[in-house]
Amino acid sequence: MRTHYCGTITSAQIDEEVTLYGWVDRRRDHGGVIFLDMRDREGIVQVVFDPDTEEHFQRADRVRSEYVLEIKGRVRARSDATINPNMLTGEIEILGKKLEILNSAATPPFQLDQHIEVGEDVRLKYRYIDLRRPEMLEKLKLRSRVTSSIRRFMDENGFLDIETPILTKATPEGARDYLVPSRTHEGKFFALPQSPQLFKQLLMVSGMDRYYQIAKCFRDEDLRADRQPEFTQIDIETSFMNDQQIMAITERMIQGLFKEVLDVDLGDFPHMPYAEAMSRFGSDKPDLRIPLELVDVDDLMRQVDFKVFNGPANDAKGRVAALKVTGGAQISRKQIDGYTKFVSIYGAKGLAWIKINDITAGIEGLQSPILKFMPEDIITQMMARLAVTDGDIVFFGADKTSIVNEALGALRVKVGEDQGLIKGDWAPLWVVDFPMFEENSEGNLTSLHHPFTAPACSPEALEKNPEQALSIAYDMVLNGTELGGGSVRIHQADMQQAVFRVLGISDEEAQEKFGFLLDALKYGAPPHGGLAFGLDRLVMLMTGAKSIRDVIAFPKTQSAACVMTDAPGLADNKQLRELNIRLREKPKAE
Amino acid sequence: MRTHYCGTITSAQIDEEVTLYGWVDRRRDHGGVIFLDMRDREGIVQVVFDPDTEEHFQRADRVRSEYVLEIKGRVRARSDATINPNMLTGEIEILGKKLEILNSAATPPFQLDQHIEVGEDVRLKYRYIDLRRPEMLEKLKLRSRVTSSIRRFMDENGFLDIETPILTKATPEGARDYLVPSRTHEGKFFALPQSPQLFKQLLMVSGMDRYYQIAKCFRDEDLRADRQPEFTQIDIETSFMNDQQIMAITERMIQGLFKEVLDVDLGDFPHMPYAEAMSRFGSDKPDLRIPLELVDVDDLMRQVDFKVFNGPANDAKGRVAALKVTGGAQISRKQIDGYTKFVSIYGAKGLAWIKINDITAGIEGLQSPILKFMPEDIITQMMARLAVTDGDIVFFGADKTSIVNEALGALRVKVGEDQGLIKGDWAPLWVVDFPMFEENSEGNLTSLHHPFTAPACSPEALEKNPEQALSIAYDMVLNGTELGGGSVRIHQADMQQAVFRVLGISDEEAQEKFGFLLDALKYGAPPHGGLAFGLDRLVMLMTGAKSIRDVIAFPKTQSAACVMTDAPGLADNKQLRELNIRLREKPKAE
């Protein structure tokens, strides 16, 4: 048996005999002596074989990169000249006495330190080699520590770990379902769950009181950089707790996690209403590390004779907002052109700006293509409101509120990053008081969260003024990323039906799709609520990973394929026949 | 917030003010006072409302079974006459002061204490009500404690919890795969994993060293009482450990689990070779609590002039074995007829027997329809070998070895249970030294475990004498149930290819199906091995559940459906079109 992991041996083990297992990271021949860097999960240690140990020296001479070895030897101090302060094991080395080659290795398709050059496709095809890289190993190790810490917290707080089905029924959660044809029920299909939402609510109706699960969820969507067809959710539900209590306990969980795994003290999380977040940051997941804010100037712009501004300022669904960047006057015209292009992604038709060169010089001290459209007193009032000083720049957004928020919200983050304005490492917060509904592109109301979210009003008030209704929902945000979200759920059938009516879901449709939930609400459903965290995103944030694929052992590509196993693959006709399906033939090209 | 769970209040809380949340288990009206049995996850407590608290008394009067309440009150001792020693909370009651109705409940489709009468289909449809039964709650609570205990053990022993994909590639593990049509890769399908076998091996090649996962697995098989389409596996893999070390660490895990959760000391697990288990118990998962054994009598039966016996006795693939049941002479002819029918399920064509009435009387003291076919000295030798005493019965099996083993192995268990012979509560063991291959019905060799299992011999010896080859595999057996099984895996490509050749898998086919594994074995694969436990079965054993459905929160029926959510369901044409499939039309009836 191994006595130590390679990476853990220090001066404390000097003169000890050790047995190691691992891979040859590097082999060097130097002055008649062979140096092997032995690597395992915990790091690297240097092993030296000299010609005294003839048989083993010869074997050491034969080994190549990625050979798998068993090594026995004695730990000794390195000479002062050869100490490597960059390695944890850099003060010692192993004087090798025995070497067994447990397996040889063909020349790998890429060297671990050349992973950047080969491109991600090769790395994904040989994932088992790519995962040997210490950075990758560390990410998966940290992920394991994260789930372990969360599970311990959940256990200690009386949450039961309960599994919910993977083969289940389609429920319209917005995204496309993965379907699984049933062999025994001809022409019917299971759906893979987009979340365990309904099951966890039913567990509350069952009296489980406190439930959690680290659950696989599935969405058949077109993938973006931070999405995967299967992803993992830390899923939590509890009975008899209100929103404040649910937020408090999950906040403690995340605080404890960061303390334990990263030794970071997150402090108390501020609470911010959705309306305030949108108004000040143009986002419902603001990155509070960036000290930039949107400021409303609609009242001023109503008075200017410039349609681009006074149009949205006079429109109830429009907004004119300013974003002051301290010290931003140095931003070049070329950069501003870049930002103008950037905000156009979000639908903004332009990006007005004013540079403040000398505030004491009044309008003469300002520089901007739009000054000519504005009365001087308006400019003066605006500059006062924004509390500008010399060297600042102010950007403007003027459009439909949603476009201004998205464009300036994104610009705020981009400029903050570009200008190095980010303050501190971690900025958590709760966003609360979400609207129940939002208008979709067809002008119909849809749930902002999901239709099981409890409103903060009576069924009557909800149906009378659905646009005004707030929900008892909450999102946990960290550094501009939504870590998790949840809500108190509807626990009474009449409220659930009122919500369905607002959403234009007929009683019949509701009964067909959610009949079992509506039934359950009638048979003694307790008040309940919960939360779900995206584990992949949480681990990305904690490890600083740039891609979600870096925190998943065997991820899919952006076209939802696994290039290592070559999945998905063909099915044979016998299988398809058993499943009562056939492939759709393509219409022939003419 | 609640101060206590209902079921946890004892005399220690007398005079304390408590706040409870829960369900009305029962409501009684007695001498002008209202008694409510309040139930939550942890049990039941009695609450008394008297007319002094007018408003709350009236509410208490209105509540019915399964109403959800918040109750505040003071704990007081019951009078001696009303103490209920059958309840954990039976020495106290709560004098109710406040009662809030949090939700009402319609009359449930069945009363919790009438679950037997309504049948399983109704219970599964209203699963959220059935799960309120304390027996069901207890099973899921214990399941949660089991996974928690196992995870803690794994953490403490340096195993990393790593998730493997659910959307993956079909690998022929014997059973039928569930398929998932891919939208983005036309005409192709993912398969749901039957186990994470190949991924966990690749994690070892990646250097993860120690992996575990509590993983969902899927098999689209016709369901038996103890099967579910999705089931859960405690999946373990480790590098650089041999079979003895893997067995030792997983044995410690199971010992620790039983100690922690059931306060049971399982002791050390004996090891038994497969050949011995088959010979003595007719089973590779013998229930050692049953003190009955099969005894070979082939040598004796070769000499008798009775074809039923001398045929199999003279056949290299046949077996004649005897099963002595101490005290079994009292088994009636009718019971024997029942056992004869029972063994016929396993292909036995009959069930010969001898009752020992008076051993001192020689052949006269025996009773049996088959005595006439046997020479007296053979009978005498046989009785001596079996060490019979008065009152015993001996059953015989004579057929192909596999039929004798299955039939007498099953009979051994059945008679053991019927005759109340089971000794002790828990009998664990390891079965080891399995053959590498077995013959299937077409006479071809197939893997007894799976084709990645390491043989205990060289590739050359394996190919020369595959029928003789043993594997480095091990099964953990408890009370006649296979709790888990595993093996040391093949870590060298040439050995893996030798196994594929024995199995008649061409190089081309092997490359197509397992190319990524064969590649991985070439690039520095460490020696590795592991084990997988069936979590559902483990929890069944630990809770004494009769059905696998009792240890799963939302199980499927035997036709692989969920009667609560009505899954599987219909898919609309748009979805099917996107997935590039269509339903197969039935051939029209004529």
Side-chain angles (χ1 to χ4, degrees):
Chain A
M1 280 285 267
R2 99 166 24 98
T3 57
H4 298 81
Y5 279 108
C6 297
T8 63
I9 304 176
T10 65
S11 306
Q13 277 79 40
I14 281 173
D15 286 337
E16 281 182 32
E17 302 287 332
V18 296
T19 302
L20 307 176
Y21 294 106
W23 285 257
V24 177
D25 199 64
R26 212 149 66 105
R27 177 191 157 288
R28 279 159 304 147
D29 217 320
H30 189 68
V33 169
I34 294 169
F35 293 88
L36 300 178
D37 281 353
M38 279 284 290
R39 189 192 67 235
D40 66 18
R41 179 175 107 179
E42 303 301 328
I44 288 178
V45 71
Q46 176 170 294
V47 184
V48 187
F49 277 93
D50 61 38
D52 295 356
T53 56
E54 206 186 317
E55 178 194 353
H56 302 282
F57 177 81
Q58 278 171 13
R59 285 188 195 159
D61 196 36
R62 248 168 52 217
V63 309
R64 293 293 174 267
S65 279
E66 304 305 322
Y67 270 46
V68 185
L69 308 183
E70 176 182 356
I71 281 183
K72 289 178 188 291
R74 192 171 47 74
V75 182
R76 69 181 185 193
R78 295 198 197 185
S79 66
D80 285 354
T82 58
I83 281 179
N84 182 345
N86 299 320
M87 283 173 82
L88 277 169
T89 61
E91 292 187 359
I92 56 91
E93 62 189 7
I94 315 289
L95 178 62
K97 296 188 171 169
K98 284 184 70 178
L99 185 157
E100 294 286 343
I101 296 176
L102 300 177
N103 211 349
S104 61
T107 306
F110 62 94
Q111 298 296 323
L112 296 194
D113 52 7
Q114 286 164 9
H115 65 277
I116 307 231
E117 290 82 345
V118 295
E120 195 179 16
D121 261 17
V122 173
R123 297 209 309 275
L124 286 174
K125 182 169 166 60
Y126 300 97
R127 185 67 168 178
Y128 45 88
I129 293 176
D130 199 36
L131 288 178
R132 289 182 190 163
R133 287 194 290 125
E135 310 91 273
M136 296 300 278
L137 264 165
E138 285 310 316
K139 290 191 176 69
L140 292 187
K141 278 162 68 181
L142 185 131
R143 184 177 175 125
S144 181
R145 289 177 66 200
V146 167
T147 52
S148 169
S149 165
I150 285 170
R151 290 182 186 285
R152 232 177 308 118
F153 180 89
M154 289 281 118
D155 278 356
E156 284 162 10
N157 286 278
F159 287 80
L160 302 176
D161 178 8
I162 302 176
E163 294 175 69
T164 54
I166 298 290
L167 294 170
T168 178
K169 190 184 183 178
T171 57
E173 239 141 347
R176 212 181 271 115
D177 286 312
Y178 278 102
L179 296 184
V180 182
S182 161
R183 183 175 52 85
T184 44
H185 299 270
E186 196 177 325
K188 295 193 170 180
F189 294 81
F190 293 104
L192 303 183
Q194 295 188 28
S195 88
Q197 182 63 33
L198 294 180
F199 290 106
K200 68 176 176 173
Q201 292 194 233
L202 293 173
L203 287 174
M204 293 304 103
V205 179
S206 305
M208 297 296 159
D209 200 62
R210 293 183 175 197
Y211 144 94
Y212 90 99
Q213 185 183 196
I214 299 191
K216 270 282 173 79
C217 305
F218 304 84
R219 289 188 189 177
D220 186 10
E221 289 189 295
D222 300 311
L223 302 184
R224 287 187 263 142
D226 61 343
R227 290 274 179 86
Q228 282 278 309
E230 51 183 296
F231 57 98
T232 306
Q233 200 162 288
I234 303 163
D235 201 45
I236 297 169
E237 195 81 2
T238 161
S239 298
F240 306 114
M241 279 196 193
N242 63 24
D243 53 341
Q244 299 302 322
Q245 293 163 332
I246 296 169
M247 283 188 272
I249 195 166
T250 51
E251 181 173 326
R252 274 203 292 128
M253 178 182 91
I254 295 293
Q255 286 166 336
L257 172 69
F258 272 72
K259 187 70 193 163
E260 181 181 334
V261 175
L262 299 180
D263 196 25
V264 162
D265 191 347
L266 288 181
D268 290 337
F269 297 12
H271 290 215
M272 185 182 292
Y274 171 87
E276 181 185 340
M278 297 307 283
S279 160
R280 290 175 57 195
F281 307 106
S283 168
D284 60 358
K285 40 179 189 284
D287 187 341
L288 295 189
R289 297 172 308 162
I290 300 169
L292 303 177
E293 292 197 21
L294 277 58
V295 175
D296 274 317
V297 290
D298 299 75
D299 54 332
L300 299 174
M301 291 306 166
R302 261 177 228 131
Q303 307 162 41
V304 307
D305 190 22
F306 181 33
K307 230 175 103 183
V308 170
F309 281 4
N310 69 20
N314 283 305
D315 180 353
K317 292 187 172 176
R319 182 178 189 192
V320 186
L323 178 73
K324 177 183 78 172
V325 182
T326 307
Q330 38 148 30
I331 294 175
S332 69
R333 274 308 289 259
K334 205 178 148 195
Q335 281 175 299
I336 293 176
D337 288 348
Y339 290 141
T340 308
K341 207 166 167 184
F342 176 77
V343 294
S344 74
I345 300 170
Y346 303 92
K349 290 183 283 288
L351 182 64
W353 53 270
I354 300 176
K355 287 187 181 177
I356 293 86
N357 295 327
D358 179 4
I359 193 74
T360 59
I363 200 156
E364 295 303 310
L366 305 179
Q367 177 192 349
S368 166
I370 60 163
L371 290 176
K372 55 180 175 272
F373 301 113
M374 300 193 194
E376 194 166 342
D377 68 315
I378 293 290
I379 296 174
T380 310
Q381 282 183 59
M382 187 160 65
M383 294 298 120
R385 181 179 300 177
L386 293 169
V388 296
T389 54
D390 293 353
D392 294 352
I393 191 171
V394 180
F395 292 107
F396 294 90
D399 212 313
K400 279 189 207 143
T401 304
S402 61
I403 291 178
V404 170
N405 287 345
E406 279 197 50
L408 284 195
L411 182 67
R412 171 182 171 270
V413 174
K414 183 152 182 57
V415 173
E417 286 170 355
D418 289 353
Q419 301 293 311
L421 300 175
I422 295 180
K423 294 243 160 57
D425 294 324
W426 303 104
L429 85 152
W430 287 105
V431 177
V432 297
D433 298 341
F434 286 85
M436 273 295 281
F437 306 105
E438 60 184 349
E439 238 177 52
N440 67 10
S441 50
E442 286 106 53
N444 298 321
L445 291 185
T446 60
S447 295
L448 196 75
H449 282 87
H450 54 59
F452 317 109
T453 306
C457 61
S458 69
E460 296 72 30
L462 181 88
E463 291 201 71
K464 206 166 168 193
N465 262 319
E467 295 88 350
Q468 313 287 301
L470 297 183
S471 65
I472 316 179
Y474 31 80
D475 278 2
M476 187 190 284
V477 174
L478 182 61
N479 295 2
T481 296
E482 184 198 320
L483 271 193
S487 61
V488 170
R489 325 298 182 187
I490 297 169
H491 72 286
Q492 285 169 319
D494 58 345
M495 180 67 94
Q496 188 64 68
Q497 279 159 332
V499 169
F500 285 151
R501 276 194 297 273
V502 171
L503 292 171
I505 298 175
S506 70
D507 283 4
E508 205 181 358
E509 191 183 346
Q511 195 57 42
E512 196 202 309
K513 284 184 176 153
F514 308 110
F516 59 101
L517 177 72
L518 290 171
D519 279 353
L521 297 184
K522 286 176 197 148
Y523 294 122
H528 63 287
L531 207 109
F533 291 96
L535 176 64
D536 308 294
R537 265 190 230 176
L538 175 62
V539 177
M540 275 178 78
L541 270 180
M542 293 179 77
T543 58
K546 289 278 172 283
S547 160
I548 194 171
R549 293 184 293 280
D550 285 351
V551 298
I552 295 174
F554 300 103
K556 302 285 190 296
T557 62
Q558 295 213 19
S559 76
C562 171
V563 291
M564 182 185 72
T565 59
D566 204 17
L570 296 171
D572 64 34
N573 269 322
K574 179 170 167 286
Q575 284 178 295
L576 299 185
R577 229 177 355 254
E578 282 188 322
L579 299 174
N580 309 303
I581 58 171
R582 59 170 81 234
L583 297 182
R584 186 173 290 271
E585 284 130 44
K586 272 196 206 178
K588 282 212 180 82
E590 287 184 24
Chain B
M1 279 284 266
R2 93 163 32 95
T3 57
H4 298 81
Y5 279 109
C6 297
T8 63
I9 305 175
T10 64
S11 306
Q13 277 81 39
I14 281 174
D15 285 337
E16 280 183 33
E17 301 287 333
V18 296
T19 302
L20 308 176
Y21 295 106
W23 284 257
V24 177
D25 199 62
R26 212 149 65 107
R27 180 191 155 288
R28 280 160 303 149
D29 217 321
H30 189 68
V33 168
I34 294 168
F35 292 88
L36 300 178
D37 280 354
M38 279 283 288
R39 188 190 69 235
D40 65 18
R41 181 176 105 178
E42 303 301 330
I44 288 179
V45 71
Q46 175 171 294
V47 184
V48 187
F49 277 92
D50 61 38
D52 295 355
T53 57
E54 205 187 317
E55 179 192 352
H56 301 284
F57 177 81
Q58 278 170 12
R59 286 188 196 159
D61 197 37
R62 244 168 53 216
V63 308
R64 294 292 174 267
S65 278
E66 304 307 321
Y67 270 46
V68 185
L69 308 184
E70 176 182 355
I71 281 182
K72 289 179 189 290
R74 193 170 48 76
V75 183
R76 69 180 184 194
R78 295 198 197 185
S79 66
D80 285 353
T82 59
I83 283 180
N84 181 346
N86 299 320
M87 281 174 84
L88 276 169
T89 60
E91 292 187 358
I92 56 91
E93 62 188 9
I94 315 288
L95 178 61
K97 296 191 173 166
K98 283 184 70 177
L99 185 158
E100 294 286 342
I101 296 176
L102 300 176
N103 211 349
S104 61
T107 306
F110 62 96
Q111 297 296 324
L112 297 194
D113 53 6
Q114 286 163 9
H115 65 278
I116 308 234
E117 290 83 343
V118 295
E120 196 179 16
D121 261 16
V122 174
R123 297 209 310 274
L124 286 174
K125 183 169 166 62
Y126 299 98
R127 185 66 168 178
Y128 45 88
I129 293 177
D130 198 36
L131 288 177
R132 288 183 191 163
R133 286 194 289 125
E135 311 91 274
M136 296 300 278
L137 264 166
E138 285 310 317
K139 290 190 177 68
L140 292 187
K141 280 162 68 179
L142 185 132
R143 184 176 177 126
S144 181
R145 289 177 67 200
V146 167
T147 53
S148 169
S149 165
I150 285 170
R151 289 183 186 285
R152 232 177 308 116
F153 181 89
M154 289 282 120
D155 277 356
E156 284 162 11
N157 286 278
F159 287 80
L160 303 176
D161 178 8
I162 302 176
E163 295 174 69
T164 56
I166 298 290
L167 293 171
T168 179
K169 191 185 182 177
T171 58
E173 240 142 346
R176 212 182 272 115
D177 285 311
Y178 277 103
L179 296 185
V180 183
S182 161
R183 183 175 52 86
T184 44
H185 299 270
E186 195 177 326
K188 295 193 169 179
F189 295 81
F190 293 103
L192 303 183
Q194 296 187 28
S195 89
Q197 182 63 32
L198 294 179
F199 289 107
K200 69 176 175 173
Q201 293 194 232
L202 293 173
L203 288 173
M204 294 303 104
V205 178
S206 306
M208 296 296 158
D209 200 63
R210 294 182 175 197
Y211 143 93
Y212 90 98
Q213 186 184 195
I214 300 191
K216 270 282 172 79
C217 304
F218 304 85
R219 287 188 190 176
D220 186 10
E221 290 188 293
D222 300 311
L223 303 184
R224 287 186 264 142
D226 61 344
R227 289 275 178 88
Q228 282 278 308
E230 51 182 297
F231 56 97
T232 306
Q233 199 162 288
I234 304 164
D235 201 46
I236 297 170
E237 195 81 1
T238 161
S239 298
F240 306 115
M241 279 197 194
N242 63 25
D243 52 342
Q244 299 304 320
Q245 292 162 334
I246 295 169
M247 282 188 272
I249 194 166
T250 49
E251 181 173 324
R252 274 203 291 128
M253 178 182 91
I254 296 293
Q255 286 165 337
L257 172 69
F258 272 72
K259 187 69 194 162
E260 181 181 332
V261 175
L262 299 181
D263 196 24
V264 162
D265 192 347
L266 288 181
D268 290 338
F269 298 11
H271 291 215
M272 184 182 291
Y274 171 87
E276 181 185 339
M278 296 307 284
S279 161
R280 290 176 57 195
F281 307 106
S283 168
D284 61 357
K285 40 179 189 282
D287 187 341
L288 296 189
R289 297 173 307 164
I290 300 169
L292 303 176
E293 292 197 22
L294 279 59
V295 175
D296 273 317
V297 290
D298 299 76
D299 55 331
L300 300 174
M301 293 305 167
R302 262 177 228 131
Q303 306 162 40
V304 307
D305 192 23
F306 182 34
K307 230 175 103 184
V308 170
F309 280 5
N310 70 18
N314 283 304
D315 180 354
K317 291 187 173 176
R319 183 180 188 190
V320 186
L323 178 72
K324 178 184 77 173
V325 182
T326 307
Q330 39 149 31
I331 295 174
S332 69
R333 275 306 292 259
K334 202 177 152 198
Q335 280 175 300
I336 293 177
D337 288 347
Y339 289 142
T340 307
K341 206 166 169 187
F342 176 77
V343 294
S344 75
I345 300 170
Y346 303 92
K349 289 183 282 288
L351 180 63
W353 53 270
I354 301 176
K355 286 187 181 177
I356 294 86
N357 295 328
D358 178 4
I359 193 73
T360 59
I363 201 157
E364 296 302 312
L366 305 180
Q367 176 191 349
S368 166
I370 60 164
L371 290 176
K372 53 181 178 272
F373 302 112
M374 299 193 196
E376 195 167 342
D377 67 317
I378 294 290
I379 295 175
T380 311
Q381 283 182 61
M382 189 162 64
M383 292 299 119
R385 182 178 298 176
L386 293 168
V388 296
T389 54
D390 293 353
D392 294 352
I393 191 171
V394 180
F395 292 107
F396 294 90
D399 211 311
K400 281 190 206 142
T401 304
S402 59
I403 290 177
V404 170
N405 287 345
E406 280 197 51
L408 284 195
L411 181 66
R412 172 181 170 270
V413 174
K414 182 150 183 58
V415 173
E417 286 170 356
D418 290 351
Q419 301 293 310
L421 300 175
I422 294 180
K423 292 244 160 57
D425 293 325
W426 303 104
L429 86 153
W430 287 104
V431 177
V432 297
D433 297 342
F434 285 86
M436 272 294 283
F437 306 104
E438 61 185 348
E439 240 178 51
N440 67 10
S441 50
E442 285 106 55
N444 299 321
L445 291 183
T446 59
S447 296
L448 195 75
H449 281 87
H450 55 59
F452 316 109
T453 305
C457 61
S458 69
E460 296 73 31
L462 181 87
E463 292 200 70
K464 207 168 168 190
N465 262 320
E467 294 88 350
Q468 314 288 299
L470 295 183
S471 65
I472 315 179
Y474 31 80
D475 279 1
M476 186 189 284
V477 174
L478 182 61
N479 295 2
T481 296
E482 183 196 320
L483 270 193
S487 62
V488 170
R489 325 297 182 187
I490 296 168
H491 72 285
Q492 285 171 317
D494 57 344
M495 180 67 94
Q496 187 66 68
Q497 280 160 333
V499 169
F500 285 151
R501 276 194 296 272
V502 170
L503 292 170
I505 299 175
S506 70
D507 283 4
E508 205 181 356
E509 192 185 345
Q511 195 57 42
E512 196 203 309
K513 283 186 177 152
F514 308 110
F516 60 102
L517 177 72
L518 290 171
D519 278 354
L521 297 184
K522 287 176 196 146
Y523 293 123
H528 63 286
L531 206 109
F533 291 97
L535 177 64
D536 307 294
R537 267 191 229 175
L538 175 61
V539 176
M540 275 178 77
L541 270 180
M542 293 180 76
T543 57
K546 290 276 173 281
S547 160
I548 195 171
R549 293 184 293 280
D550 284 351
V551 299
I552 295 175
F554 300 103
K556 302 285 190 296
T557 61
Q558 295 212 21
S559 77
C562 172
V563 290
M564 181 184 72
T565 60
D566 203 17
L570 296 171
D572 65 34
N573 269 323
K574 178 170 168 288
Q575 285 178 295
L576 299 185
R577 228 176 357 253
E578 283 188 322
L579 298 174
N580 309 301
I581 58 171
R582 59 170 82 232
L583 297 182
R584 186 175 290 272
E585 283 130 46
K586 273 196 204 176
K588 282 214 180 81
E590 285 182 28

